[in-house]
Amino acid sequence: MATAILKEDPKPDGAAFDDFFESIGKKTENLTVKDEPTDGAAPKLNDEEDQRVVDEIESLCMNCHENGITRLLLTRIPFFREIILMSFSCPHCNFKNSEIQSAGEIKQKGAKFELRLTTLADFARQVVKSDSGIVKFIELDIEVPPGRGQLTNVEGILSMVLEDLELKQPERKEQIPEVWAKIDEIITKGRKILAGESFPFRVSLDDPSGNSWIEPDQKDGVGKWSKVEYSRTPEQNEALGLGDSGEEAGQEGIQPTSTDLESDDIIPNEVYSFPAHCPGCTRNCVTHMKMVEIPHFKQVVIMSTVCEHCGYRSNEVKTGGEVPEKGKKIILKVESATDLARDILKSESCALECPELNLSVTPGTLGGRFTTVEGLLTQVRDDLHQQIFDTGDDAAGDSLSSEAKDNWKSFFDGIGEAINGEKKFTVILTDPLASSYVQNLCSPDDDPQISTEDYERTAEEEDDLGLTDMKTEDYADKSSVQEVLDEPKT
């Protein structure tokens, strides 16, 4: 009975949805080849048997107000999700029009990508910019605002920006020379970057809808490519057409009480609930929180959010306590299935490396995770595989070269062997806040397969964590305090 219900009501991301939005290659493969006569005559087509890739509907021409034909092609482009190609033509006035619309879902969280370019080969990295994505070249201090969706590469976007800036430079030079000089300086820097004379430089892509993307490479080290997911603000949800008005959102949804939080002390292993706003639909939802004591480590907070309106679910692990003076690096040698079952806590600030697997995960990519070594590798593999081979198989359409496909296949095969316990590897956790943990199977004695070392944080890590501008001593200016004390009281 349950199976019948699922077939009658397929989910948008299920196989039934994929049948409508197949890649162009698969659509052409599904076309049946008609039997050709041996005498060389033209084959006869049967309308009932003819399989159409393009749907045609009669629609009103906005130019002459007669009926024309609109052709629709529902397809899926690798890395660009599902799209609808539309073409209109009117036989009466010969008016024609074509456009592209996104048919993909809006992700539950926004995404921000950053790529540090160091070689000319990095210019060929594919870039998917949706109509809500913002591209910024950090060193040039210029950005491409939300607008037309594009499927291009880093070189294509930068060339387009420079060409747009050059369009009216002669007029600016005559009318507003000071603006011309500033823009000409940016164009000169941009041309040097395209010529490979200004490495390294960074490009970022911020998309509240989560449907943009910068191509990674399995050889990327820590700090080369990064992806950070974030919860959208109410303003971003409104711009994407999500959520209700403030009045309706205030009336609907669950309003849990916070009686459990009346006490200042949080009891370990006690579940607390408090009201929150869903990052997916901005309505009221409930966030559950539980403090757990990890033996021989510290207390961590497990948080879970569930929205009954849109079905959004998320879970995170937060570590507390003071900021240590030094960061910590943990090295685990995984040699058996027992090691794959070790508990592991990866904080938001932690970077993950597996040299034997050519795997590196930058801080903030996965968020805080409390799982096992096997579970962490599985999540990394599944998330990355979905981005690279978005069409649902290992073909990836025509967007990747044969060499790139082979490299990615070998990369995922290596991770699969590690998950199945067929390959030995090393897990390196580098955490500037020393908030990550790997289970010690020989506790309280030292584990021979785990080694740790403390290290001094770099200036960049201090800046990223906000510690550079943090003042913990004498943070109140004496003069300002005296002014407050001298103020007349009413």
Side-chain angles (χ1 to χ4, degrees), residues 286-298:
V286 181
T287 295
H288 305 287
M289 180 185 73
K290 180 179 180 180
M291 180 175 287
V292 179
E293 181 81 29
I294 298 181
H296 311 291
F297 183 55
K298 62 170 68 174

Side-chain angles (χ1 to χ4, degrees), residues 1 29 55 67 98 106 153 202 211 227 245 265 290 304 335 342 351 388 392:
M1 184 65 181
E29 289 177 3
D55 296 319
N67 287 334
S98 61
I106 296 176
N153 55 25
R202 294 166 295 166
N211 283 330
K227 173 189 176 183
S245 63
D265 297 330
K290 180 179 180 180
S304 173
E335 299 178 348
R342 288 179 187 257
I388 301 300

Side-chain angles (χ1 to χ4, degrees), residues 20 52 69 95 105-106 136 217 219 237 254 280 294 364 395 465 475:
F20 291 102
R52 290 191 175 184
I69 299 296
F95 175 75
E105 63 177 351
I106 296 176
K136 184 173 183 180
D217 190 282
K219 298 179 182 178
N237 275 311
I254 302 173
I294 298 181
L465 296 171
Y475 51 84

